[in-house]
Amino acid sequence: MKARLKYILIYYLFWVLLFVVQKPVFLLFHRENSFDFSFLEWINVIVHGFSMDLSAAGYFTIFVAVLLLVSSFFKENKLLGKIVFYYTAVVLFLVLLICCADLYLYSFWGFRIDSTPLFYLESPKNAMASGSWEMYLTAVLLFLILYLSFLFIFRKLHKRFFLISDRSVWSLIPLSLFTVILFIFIRGGIGVSTMNAGRVYFSKSIFLNHAAINPVWNFIYSFTKNEDFDKQYRFMESGKATCLFSKMVSQKEDSTGVFVLKNNRPNIIFIILEGIGSNVFGALGGEKGVTPNLDKLSEEGIFFTQFYANSFRTDRGLIAVLSGYPGQPTTSLMKYPNKTQNVPKIPLSLKNAGYDVAFYYGGDENFTNLRSYLLTSGFEKIVSEKDFSSKELSAKWGAYDHILFDRVTKELNEQKDTPFLKLILTLSSHEPYDVPMAKLSNPYLNSVAYTDSCVGAFISDLKRSRWWDNSLVVILPDHASRYPESMTNSDVNRFKIPMLWIGGVVEKPMKVEKIASQIDLSRTLLTQLGIDASEYNFSKNIFGTKDPEFAFYAFNNGFGFIAPEGEAVYDCDADIVLKEDNKTLTEKGKAFLQSLYDDLAKR
């Protein structure tokens, strides 16, 4: 029993050692970047990337663990030793091949290796055209040195510790337990979020974050998430799609005819509400008595009454709000850190204009690669569940909304006199709707009412603070929820949401009835502030005099398109029109989606 358990532990640690060593090798190889950082930051690369190393090592150990489990029933295990050795020799070859390729490709691409190189192998000549023979020679030599060195180490370990010569049914229990632990390491823990590249991000430096990523894990993961984006949603000839799309984006000759703020450098607070749509928002004709505070506030500021979410999940909604980038029907941009680093972001635009930017969330910042997106967005401070005490983390998803808002209020009292952006992402109105309040019998409505009360209290405190007179508070959801439950996921009303601008800097209360969506916030806000918004290619200025008026949203492999002349809803899976007030709306929606995936492929 002890022989099997000792061997599998040594075997696992061998892979962990290899992946840990890979990190300083990567840093040394890219010394033109890494030598700008301190020794402590090098250590942080290893420390923060360690969980991903454990996950990657688990992938290659699990097969051997299963073999050892089976061997517990057999007396003769000489063949097993050979199988394990040659399996490891082959896998080691492939692993180091990936690592060495990653070292060189990073110099060209600026992101860790994924499945992309395989697409270029269809044309080997062109694939190798970027490198010199010296580069390929040194790459081969480095690979051979690493492979022979680690193969030698493994051979010594295998010979010394593979002492399995009889059967041992008693070893089933510890080996089974170890196998379960391996699966936990592979998954990245037992929490809500699974292992993802964003989990190892820790620095404002993209290079250090990249260095912490395990290239083999990233390569394997890319196959589960890889999308041939430029081949999806080919509804029409490219030229026609481009022509239609060009008429749907912000017009260069347009300029805002309406300024709604008293000055162009207010402090800005974003409150992004978890899953609150128009059907539960009284001021938009939804359920009465659920959002009394927000209903009242809608009369005090700029209330957008024909506003829509672009997608149905938080990861997509955040990018729509902050980057002006539409949600996709079949994937999430947030899952691709190498792409999210290339999209524009409101926080980064504001930071470049002199703003301090901070993010507040009561949940797990690693969920769906959120952390990687936040760091590349320029956030200097990220407050998440790790920053709350165990007593404060009493909800399943983390800290209740009132605790989150209290944290923001406290830090506002300590805020320096510098223009700032505070982004608050709520979570209490997310299922299972567990909140410390019992006002309404419906759990979802009760959770919304609770969040509404938290927003109301926060705004009341803000009005009494020194910040109110020069603050703009932008309140909108990340997406809506399917309420009532009988509503289909494709229903237009499923995506209608409120957006409200309030604060002492707002010129006067007004209702804006122009059709718009989350992606339009970036260009609209930045234009009001006099900040260049030209890189937000999908965004329109809601207050523009010539910008087109429409909203696009994506549901699970389908889309909706809303304009003054009507609505169109299209199911891409079934290739059928679900609703069509005007055929041109469906065609515009197809052109928009096709152009979106063309852009996604290039990011």
Side-chain angles (χ1 to χ4, degrees):
M1 178 178 72
K2 290 183 179 180
R4 285 178 171 83
L5 186 58
K6 182 183 289 187
Y7 182 81
I8 197 63
L9 287 171
I10 295 296
Y11 188 86
Y12 181 61
L13 290 176
F14 165 77
W15 285 112
V16 173
L17 173 65
L18 186 153
F19 291 132
V20 169
V21 169
Q22 176 272 328
K23 287 177 172 56
V25 170
F26 178 86
L27 290 168
L28 287 170
F29 191 88
H30 295 284
R31 52 192 176 278
E32 70 279 2
N33 294 317
S34 63
F35 280 13
D36 293 332
F37 301 100
S38 66
F39 177 73
L40 180 60
E41 288 171 308
W42 280 42
I43 296 298
N44 276 327
V45 166
I46 296 173
V47 171
H48 286 84
F50 190 65
S51 60
M52 188 174 285
D53 293 337
L54 294 177
S55 178
Y59 279 112
F60 304 117
T61 305
I62 201 76
F63 174 74
V64 176
V66 172
L67 287 179
L68 292 180
L69 277 170
V70 174
S71 76
S72 300
F73 297 99
F74 299 94
K75 290 183 178 181
E76 181 57 54
N77 285 295
K78 290 183 179 180
L79 179 60
L80 175 65
K82 292 182 179 181
I83 293 174
V84 171
F85 180 82
Y86 287 111
Y87 158 80
T88 306
V90 172
V91 173
L92 181 63
F93 182 92
L94 297 174
V95 164
L96 290 175
L97 186 65
I98 292 170
C99 290
C100 288
D102 171 70
L103 289 176
Y104 288 88
L105 289 173
Y106 187 86
S107 301
F108 296 108
W109 294 346
F111 60 86
R112 302 308 294 267
I113 190 170
D114 56 16
S115 60
T116 303
L118 299 183
F119 295 119
Y120 294 103
L121 292 181
E122 294 179 357
S123 178
K125 182 179 179 180
N126 292 330
M128 298 180 68
S130 299
S132 64
W133 69 268
E134 292 93 343
M135 185 193 79
Y136 292 118
L137 178 61
T138 55
V140 170
L141 290 174
L142 178 61
F143 168 78
L144 289 175
I145 291 171
L146 290 173
Y147 180 70
L148 293 176
S149 298
F150 277 98
L151 186 62
F152 175 80
I153 293 171
F154 174 71
R155 186 173 181 275
K156 289 291 185 181
L157 293 173
H158 182 73
K159 187 175 181 179
R160 179 177 178 181
F161 292 102
F162 195 87
L163 304 174
I164 302 169
S165 58
D166 59 356
R167 67 182 173 188
S168 175
V169 178
W170 292 107
S171 64
L172 288 174
I173 296 176
L175 283 174
S176 297
L177 179 60
F178 184 80
T179 302
V180 172
I181 294 173
L182 283 180
F183 276 113
I184 294 174
F185 283 147
I186 290 171
R187 188 181 183 276
I190 58 176
V192 176
S193 63
T194 57
M195 180 57 63
N196 58 72
R199 181 172 295 192
V200 304
Y201 276 46
F202 69 97
S203 172
K204 295 178 183 178
S205 166
I206 292 296
F207 173 77
L208 290 179
N209 292 330
H210 286 173
I213 294 174
N214 183 297
V216 181
W217 182 94
N218 201 58
F219 185 78
I220 295 172
Y221 180 79
S222 68
F223 284 96
T224 67
K225 302 299 179 183
N226 181 60
E227 301 283 353
D228 217 355
F229 297 118
D230 58 351
K231 292 183 173 58
Q232 295 188 46
Y233 303 114
R234 302 296 94 186
F235 298 111
M236 61 192 73
E237 190 270 330
S238 295
K240 181 179 180 181
T242 301
C243 181
L244 287 172
F245 177 72
S246 65
K247 298 176 182 178
M248 289 186 278
V249 295
S250 185
Q251 305 302 303
K252 293 181 179 180
E253 68 274 15
D254 193 13
S255 61
T256 183
V258 180
F259 281 97
V260 298
L261 306 179
K262 295 178 181 177
N263 67 70
N264 64 3
R265 281 300 177 272
N267 300 307
I268 301 172
I269 299 175
F270 278 8
I271 301 178
I272 301 181
L273 306 170
E274 167 61 43
I276 298 178
S278 62
N279 287 329
V280 298
F281 199 82
L284 285 176
E287 296 275 357
K288 301 298 181 182
V290 180
T291 57
N293 293 284
L294 289 168
D295 291 345
K296 182 179 179 181
L297 290 173
S298 68
E299 299 174 357
E300 301 177 11
I302 304 172
F303 186 34
F304 298 78
T305 62
Q306 295 293 323
F307 198 75
Y308 293 84
N310 291 110
S311 193
F312 53 93
R313 295 293 298 272
T314 300
D315 53 345
R316 294 163 168 87
L318 276 178
I319 290 182
V321 170
L322 298 183
S323 294
Y325 203 86
Q328 305 91 50
T330 57
T331 190
S332 170
L333 186 65
M334 192 81 79
K335 296 176 181 177
Y336 304 90
N338 60 304
K339 292 183 180 292
T340 56
Q341 70 185 33
N342 296 322
V343 296
K345 304 164 184 82
I346 293 176
L348 197 56
S349 294
L350 293 178
K351 184 177 180 179
N352 292 335
Y355 277 72
D356 289 333
V357 294
F359 176 87
Y360 298 84
Y361 178 49
D364 182 4
E365 66 187 270
N366 290 307
F367 193 65
T368 60
N369 274 331
L370 175 59
R371 182 174 175 79
S372 65
Y373 177 71
L374 295 177
L375 285 172
T376 57
S377 296
F379 282 106
E380 298 159 351
K381 182 172 187 176
I382 299 174
V383 175
S384 64
E385 66 176 3
K386 70 180 186 307
D387 300 296
F388 295 91
S389 67
S390 56
K391 184 178 179 180
E392 291 173 317
L393 298 173
S394 48
K396 179 182 178 182
W397 283 90
Y400 286 121
D401 286 348
H402 76 275
I403 295 174
L404 177 66
F405 281 111
D406 286 347
R407 177 63 174 267
V408 180
T409 298
K410 178 183 177 182
E411 296 199 0
L412 278 171
N413 293 331
E414 303 167 355
Q415 176 70 37
K416 297 179 180 179
D417 289 327
T418 304
F420 60 78
L421 165 69
K422 306 284 188 186
L423 193 152
I424 307 167
L425 176 62
T426 72
L427 57 72
S428 293
S429 48
H430 192 292
E431 63 271 343
Y433 313 125
D434 173 31
V435 296
M437 184 183 83
K439 178 181 177 181
L440 302 173
S441 58
N442 182 286
Y444 168 61
L445 296 182
N446 187 63
S447 71
V448 173
Y450 163 71
T451 295
D452 173 79
S453 69
C454 296
V455 174
F458 174 74
I459 297 299
S460 294
D461 289 339
L462 189 62
K463 286 180 176 179
R464 293 191 293 268
S465 75
R466 63 191 177 100
W467 302 113
W468 179 256
D469 288 342
N470 190 41
S471 288
L472 170 66
V473 183
V474 178
I475 305 174
L476 75 164
D478 54 355
H479 56 82
S481 290
R482 191 160 59 90
Y483 179 86
E485 294 182 358
S486 58
M487 179 184 295
T488 65
N489 285 328
S490 61
D491 195 306
V492 172
N493 290 323
R494 165 79 166 77
F495 293 86
K496 189 174 183 180
I497 59 174
M499 183 168 76
L500 174 63
W501 292 14
I502 58 172
V505 78
V506 172
E507 191 71 53
K508 63 179 180 179
M510 67 172 68
K511 286 188 177 181
V512 179
E513 298 182 349
K514 191 173 182 178
I515 296 172
S517 66
Q518 289 170 324
I519 58 174
D520 300 322
L521 173 60
S522 52
R523 188 177 289 267
T524 302
L525 176 61
L526 294 176
T527 301
Q528 288 289 316
L529 303 180
I531 297 174
D532 179 38
S534 59
E535 60 181 335
Y536 297 82
N537 297 327
F538 290 90
S539 185
K540 309 184 302 299
N541 179 15
I542 300 174
F543 295 112
T545 57
K546 297 181 180 179
D547 278 15
E549 182 179 354
F550 73 90
F552 172 93
Y553 67 82
F555 57 90
N556 189 24
N557 209 12
F559 69 83
F561 195 90
I562 308 146
E565 58 267 35
E567 304 163 355
V569 182
Y570 189 82
D571 187 322
C572 300
D573 263 337
D575 193 22
I576 59 172
V577 173
L578 301 179
K579 182 178 183 180
E580 187 177 68
D581 294 331
N582 188 311
K583 288 186 176 181
T584 60
L585 297 178
T586 304
E587 188 173 44
K588 286 181 179 180
K590 289 180 176 180
F592 189 94
L593 182 56
Q594 183 170 324
S595 298
L596 169 61
Y597 271 68
D598 284 339
D599 184 87
L600 190 59
K602 299 173 184 176
R603 293 286 175 178

